Amino acid sequence: MLTFTGLYLLRNQLMNLLNLTETIEDTSENNDIIEYETSKTINTIKELIPIAIRDFSSQYGSNGSDSYVVSNVCSNPEIYPLYGDSTHALVFRTYGPWWINMPSYKETIKNFTRWENHFTSRDFIDIEFKDFTYECLSLNIYETYNPGSLEVVYVGKEDEYGNLIWHRIWTFPEPFSIILKNDEEFFIENGRQSMKDLFPNHIITKSSILHSSRLNTDNKQILNIHTRHRYPPAACLPRIVKIPLKDKFSFPTRFIRLEFDHSTVNYYSEIDTVILYGKTLLNNSILNEDHNKSTILSSSETIIENQNEEINSSMDLTKLPFDILFLICSYLDLRSLVRLSSTCHSLHNQCLYPLQFQSLNLQPYWNGITNFAIENFFLYHCTQTRYLSLAWTKSIQYSSFNQLLNICSFNIIQLNLACCQYLNGQYIKIIVNYCPNIEILNLENCISLNNLDFIPLKYLNRIRSLNVYRTKIDYRTLLPLIDNNKKNLENINLGSCQKLSDTIGIIKLLFFRCTNLRSIDLWRTYGLTQNGFLSLIGLQFDVGEEKRRILNLSKDEQEELALIYSIVHMPMEINSIIHMKYLSEIDLGWTDPPSGFIKNFVQQIGHSLIKLFLSACRRVNNDDIIAVSEHCPQLRQLDLLGSSIIIETTIESILKRCLYLEFLDLSFCDKISNETISIWIYQYKNCFKRSYSPRMNDNIYTEFA
């Protein structure tokens, strides 16, 4: 056992880690040494284009596509100074408050009760450049559609083993500049400056290049979301956001991380490219580690600081009853809790009482959650942890992960491992062996896992919510997993899963067995055929084609599938889905169901639907949407992007009958005019979405409609 003094030091080292290395101190002596040693290798100022994306949280485009994918930033500007929706831009999966305020999402966050108000990031992208840059001057982000969502900028410091330590060097609304297409640059001291402050001689409007005048009913939704950004966050103008980097850090870098909070934008945010300006190191050598010892405050300095705070304080919290002090501590974010625990022995016991860690969200501290932190701090305090998030964390070793879940063990009800690229099959076995009572599991975007790595998950039997968005999971895991959890399963996200192999069989089993299903996300799911769609809802389908679909699989897959089908008693056909009486959310975006499918679907279970996304489902016809208006009285969100068949009278029926409708995407619906939408906005007060292809505006200070 460690002594109290040892734990005291470890706590303060953890506290420094939880500060996310946001303070980087430089000394003139270090800078002189660095300048001397690199003077022969530093070139003139260069502009660097990204060469690769190391990691990211989500993307709108498909795997293997070049439309709406994060890798689109790895090029020179292709869109700027045009403004609009371009397939050549980086686009994340979601935007605004719409996904956040759905019951399926709220279910995943309600247990994390400790409020981490400093963390508002929703998506991230880790960018790699070719050359190390020493004298970094600026980072220019080309925003070409719905700008203003940038939240945090990090730079990465690489050690000799290729490991990265991320240093936060900018957070909204810290100072930055905006460059418009005429190359005018405006310094923004604070993200809340008005248009009049920036260029009063140009316009006489209340809008600003940061804040848009294009308001709609999104603001009602945003009231429920904690964010630093206003609504809307920026004017609808193409712009370059220039983040100053000069003197922000002293080490060479070729890695940039951007985090975004797009919860207040009107529509999808799009980025053309990201350019890093600075002087490069021709030999790509990394400077001596000893020159940067001052990048993190030492533990002893922190202890002295905290001791002085205790001496100068007249408040004695230690005299409060245990339950009162426990309640007070529960309102602190984790960083503040650790700081308070370091002030005295009494508060150490109160703050680090195991029940304080019953709900532990470590995503806001992804950069500080190391193997050292786990083994020397969290293992001592997580014996009662039931809800655990390690989302976005980097390089947690097998031994540390094993020890942590062993400590939590049977207590764990919820585990969030989104975007944890260090996972492999051994980690999945740990989850299954130590956490048999798990109910909510998030493995979204864990692209490092292969299809066989997931197989142990089939033995779990209490799953209520499963998110495997953009993973390689397949039928070998999903079919037995669905069968084992048929009475419990409420929410499942299979979005962008393109290795399912037996997509129709998986969804058929979901529809047939999971009577408590509340939400299902099939966005861009690969393998849904027209014939397969018909077989899901009791419509007549071609049995021969279904058999040919199975025969197209390899012989080994056919044999495996036949065995699994017999074990789970796979139904050959579904006569009805009226037993799915709780289904409230379904996303069929980019799956293109046949005409008549939606009509039959909503006739059976439309009464409970509040969200229906049919993005790019071009076969959906007017009869389908009229049926939605007749059978979906609770509908709140409807996405019809790209529905070129739908006419205005059909949409009018939706607006008149679906009285709770708050979101309607009519982008690229060719038979619906902008003039009609303008009338509807005034008449119905709904939130209409309408995107358009990139275009030019002659007056650079005028917002795009």
Side-chain angles (χ1 to χ4, degrees):
M1 285 294 291
L2 292 172
T3 63
F4 171 74
T5 303
L7 284 174
Y8 192 82
L9 290 171
L10 289 171
R11 281 199 313 278
N12 284 281
Q13 289 175 2
L14 176 68
M15 185 176 69
N16 288 329
L17 289 170
L18 294 182
N19 282 329
L20 302 182
T21 61
E22 58 192 43
T23 303
I24 301 180
E25 299 179 346
D26 298 317
T27 63
S28 58
E29 180 181 357
N30 281 342
N31 288 335
D32 291 341
I33 294 174
I34 293 171
E35 284 187 18
Y36 175 77
E37 292 188 358
T38 60
S39 60
K40 295 182 180 180
T41 61
I42 297 177
N43 200 356
T44 56
I45 294 174
K46 281 188 174 183
E47 58 177 59
L48 300 178
I49 306 298
I51 62 167
I53 305 302
R54 288 177 62 97
D55 197 7
F56 64 95
S57 54
S58 74
Q59 64 180 14
Y60 188 86
S62 299
N63 299 333
S65 170
D66 59 0
S67 298
Y68 299 119
V69 292
V70 294
S71 58
N72 282 341
V73 299
C74 298
S75 68
N76 287 301
E78 296 184 5
I79 308 165
Y80 188 85
L82 301 180
Y83 183 86
D85 184 0
S86 171
T87 59
H88 298 290
L90 176 161
V91 186
F92 290 113
R93 172 70 180 88
T94 67
Y95 70 91
W98 308 108
W99 284 259
I100 299 171
N101 285 333
M102 280 287 100
S104 58
Y105 180 82
K106 290 182 177 180
E107 177 70 17
T108 65
I109 63 171
K110 70 177 184 180
N111 296 317
F112 294 107
T113 54
R114 191 176 297 281
W115 189 35
E116 303 289 348
N117 64 326
H118 64 282
F119 181 79
T120 57
S121 298
R122 304 285 176 184
D123 271 299
F124 74 86
I125 178 172
D126 294 349
I127 302 172
E128 180 179 347
F129 296 88
K130 180 180 179 181
D131 299 317
F132 280 94
T133 305
Y134 168 59
E135 290 186 18
C136 293
L137 302 179
S138 69
L139 183 71
N140 289 12
I141 297 125
Y142 287 66
E143 298 181 315
T144 52
Y145 200 39
N146 297 296
S149 61
L150 184 65
E151 179 71 11
V152 188
V153 177
Y154 291 85
V155 294
K157 181 181 179 183
E158 188 176 19
D159 65 19
E160 59 183 319
Y161 304 106
N163 300 316
L164 286 179
I165 299 175
W166 292 98
H167 299 265
R168 186 169 59 194
I169 48 97
W170 182 88
T171 302
F172 181 85
E174 292 175 2
F176 61 102
S177 297
I178 288 176
I179 302 173
L180 301 185
K181 67 180 182 181
N182 63 350
D183 293 329
E184 282 188 274
E185 182 173 341
F186 302 94
F187 177 72
I188 312 298
E189 184 176 355
N190 184 289
R192 296 172 179 83
Q193 281 183 267
S194 70
M195 190 79 137
K196 293 180 181 179
D197 295 333
L198 298 171
F199 33 83
N201 297 327
H202 292 294
I203 60 168
I204 52 173
T205 179
K206 292 182 179 180
S207 69
S208 80
I209 59 170
L210 295 178
H211 304 140
S212 173
S213 60
R214 310 290 180 188
L215 293 173
N216 56 26
T217 55
D218 284 84
N219 57 336
K220 295 179 181 178
Q221 294 280 330
I222 289 167
L223 291 176
N224 300 322
I225 297 171
H226 175 67
T227 177
R228 280 189 279 262
H229 293 263
R230 292 187 178 179
Y231 167 74
C236 300
L237 297 170
R239 66 183 198 172
I240 302 172
V241 172
K242 182 178 179 181
I243 305 298
L245 299 182
K246 187 174 177 59
D247 300 326
K248 289 291 186 73
F249 56 97
S250 61
F251 51 84
T253 188
R254 60 190 182 100
F255 303 102
I256 295 290
R257 178 186 175 100
L258 305 178
E259 293 184 359
F260 298 86
D261 176 11
H262 40 61
S263 60
T264 63
V265 296
N266 276 325
Y267 205 62
Y268 292 100
S269 293
E270 301 191 8
I271 296 174
D272 187 4
T273 190
V274 178
I275 298 179
L276 178 63
Y277 287 87
K279 295 182 179 180
T280 60
L281 297 175
L282 297 181
N283 60 0
N284 279 353
S285 61
I286 300 177
L287 301 184
N288 194 316
E289 296 288 329
D290 292 337
H291 295 155
N292 299 291
K293 288 182 178 179
S294 61
T295 57
I296 305 177
L297 291 175
S298 69
S299 298
S300 59
E301 290 173 341
T302 308
I303 293 173
I304 293 173
E305 177 188 354
N306 287 332
Q307 286 176 340
N308 289 336
E309 290 175 1
E310 183 181 357
I311 293 171
N312 295 330
S313 174
S314 60
M315 181 181 296
D316 191 353
L317 292 174
T318 61
K319 293 182 178 180
L320 290 173
F322 178 87
D323 55 341
I324 300 298
L325 186 54
F326 181 90
L327 182 61
I328 292 173
C329 291
S330 69
Y331 287 101
L332 298 176
D333 60 64
L334 182 59
R335 179 184 298 159
S336 300
L337 186 70
V338 173
R339 284 174 173 167
L340 183 59
S341 74
S342 301
T343 56
C344 71
H345 185 276
S346 177
L347 288 177
H348 156 263
N349 295 330
Q350 300 271 8
C351 293
L352 303 185
Y353 191 72
L355 285 178
Q356 287 288 356
F357 296 86
Q358 186 177 47
S359 171
L360 186 59
N361 181 11
L362 297 179
Q363 183 178 357
Y365 308 99
W366 61 267
N367 192 30
I369 306 307
T370 62
N371 299 298
F372 177 87
I374 290 174
E375 295 174 9
N376 295 282
F377 182 83
F378 290 108
L379 291 184
Y380 292 92
H381 306 294
C382 291
T383 57
Q384 299 294 322
T385 301
R386 294 169 58 84
Y387 313 104
L388 175 64
S389 175
L390 294 170
W392 294 13
T393 53
K394 309 280 187 180
S395 302
I396 295 179
Q397 294 177 356
Y398 173 83
S399 59
S400 300
F401 189 83
N402 181 55
Q403 292 179 72
L404 180 60
L405 263 64
N406 187 23
I407 288 294
C408 302
S409 193
F410 287 79
N411 294 324
I412 287 289
I413 299 297
Q414 179 172 357
L415 182 60
N416 184 356
L417 296 170
C419 306
C420 294
Q421 306 306 343
Y422 52 84
L423 296 182
N424 59 36
Q426 295 302 313
Y427 289 72
I428 299 299
K429 290 179 181 178
I430 291 174
I431 296 171
V432 174
N433 292 336
Y434 289 151
C435 309
N437 296 320
I438 195 167
E439 298 179 5
I440 303 174
L441 180 60
N442 186 353
L443 294 170
E444 66 175 311
N445 207 44
C446 291
I447 200 67
S448 60
L449 294 166
N450 63 49
N451 61 330
L452 301 181
D453 289 335
F454 290 95
I455 289 179
L457 294 178
K458 69 182 184 180
Y459 297 109
L460 298 174
N461 56 19
R462 298 192 178 187
I463 295 294
R464 290 192 295 109
S465 179
L466 178 66
N467 187 346
V468 287
Y469 160 79
R470 198 176 171 269
T471 65
K472 299 170 185 173
I473 197 169
D474 68 11
Y475 66 90
R476 297 174 180 88
T477 301
L478 283 170
L479 288 173
L481 178 67
I482 292 168
D483 188 56
N484 283 342
N485 295 273
K486 53 183 174 290
K487 294 182 180 180
N488 306 316
L489 194 60
E490 297 178 359
N491 306 296
I492 187 167
N493 186 344
L494 301 175
S496 206
C497 287
Q498 299 186 355
K499 303 289 185 179
L500 297 176
S501 296
D502 185 31
T503 307
I504 293 298
I506 291 167
I507 299 174
K508 185 181 293 185
L509 193 63
L510 278 169
F511 279 21
F512 186 75
R513 293 273 167 77
C514 299
T515 56
N516 286 317
L517 200 64
R518 263 72 169 172
S519 72
I520 180 169
D521 191 332
L522 301 174
W523 184 82
R524 288 192 185 274
T525 299
Y526 181 78
L528 279 166
T529 64
Q530 306 297 303
N531 189 68
F533 268 113
L534 299 178
S535 71
L536 295 175
I537 55 173
L539 295 179
Q540 185 175 0
F541 67 99
D542 187 340
V543 178
E545 182 179 330
E546 181 67 7
K547 291 180 179 179
R548 288 190 293 273
R549 179 182 68 83
I550 301 296
L551 292 175
N552 285 331
L553 300 173
S554 68
K555 185 175 180 180
D556 289 343
E557 287 180 319
Q558 291 180 41
E559 293 176 353
E560 275 187 305
L561 200 57
L563 177 61
I564 296 174
Y565 272 18
S566 65
I567 293 173
V568 302
H569 304 291
M570 173 65 74
M572 294 306 298
E573 59 180 314
I574 298 177
N575 297 322
S576 168
I577 57 171
I578 57 174
H579 55 275
M580 298 174 62
K581 56 185 177 181
Y582 302 113
L583 187 68
S584 60
E585 305 171 39
I586 186 165
D587 191 334
L588 295 169
W590 297 87
T591 60
D592 202 19
S595 299
F597 173 83
I598 293 300
K599 179 179 179 179
N600 191 280
F601 182 82
V602 298
Q603 284 175 343
Q604 296 187 58
I605 57 172
H607 62 279
S608 59
L609 281 182
I610 62 173
K611 173 182 175 178
L612 177 60
F613 273 32
L614 301 171
S615 314
C617 294
R618 308 186 195 283
R619 299 173 190 265
V620 172
N621 60 28
N622 289 283
D623 288 341
D624 290 322
I625 303 306
I626 290 174
V628 171
S629 71
E630 294 172 343
H631 298 281
C632 302
Q634 307 298 321
L635 194 65
R636 289 163 48 188
Q637 298 183 17
L638 177 62
D639 188 336
L640 297 174
L641 178 147
S643 299
S644 57
I645 301 175
I646 308 303
I647 60 177
E648 292 177 356
T649 54
T650 300
I651 300 300
E652 191 86 41
S653 68
I654 289 284
L655 295 172
K656 288 180 178 179
R657 292 172 175 169
C658 300
L659 302 181
Y660 298 100
L661 193 69
E662 58 193 17
F663 171 100
L664 179 59
D665 192 339
L666 299 174
S667 300
F668 304 108
C669 293
D670 298 338
K671 295 188 177 180
I672 301 172
S673 68
N674 291 329
E675 292 75 18
T676 300
I677 291 179
S678 298
I679 295 172
W680 287 341
I681 290 174
Y682 178 79
Q683 184 176 356
Y684 293 102
K685 311 298 182 184
N686 296 116
C687 185
F688 293 87
K689 302 298 179 183
R690 181 83 158 184
S691 63
Y692 44 81
S693 300
R695 59 188 64 173
M696 188 73 76
N697 198 338
D698 293 333
N699 186 344
I700 67 171
Y701 307 109
T702 301
E703 282 194 272
F704 285 79

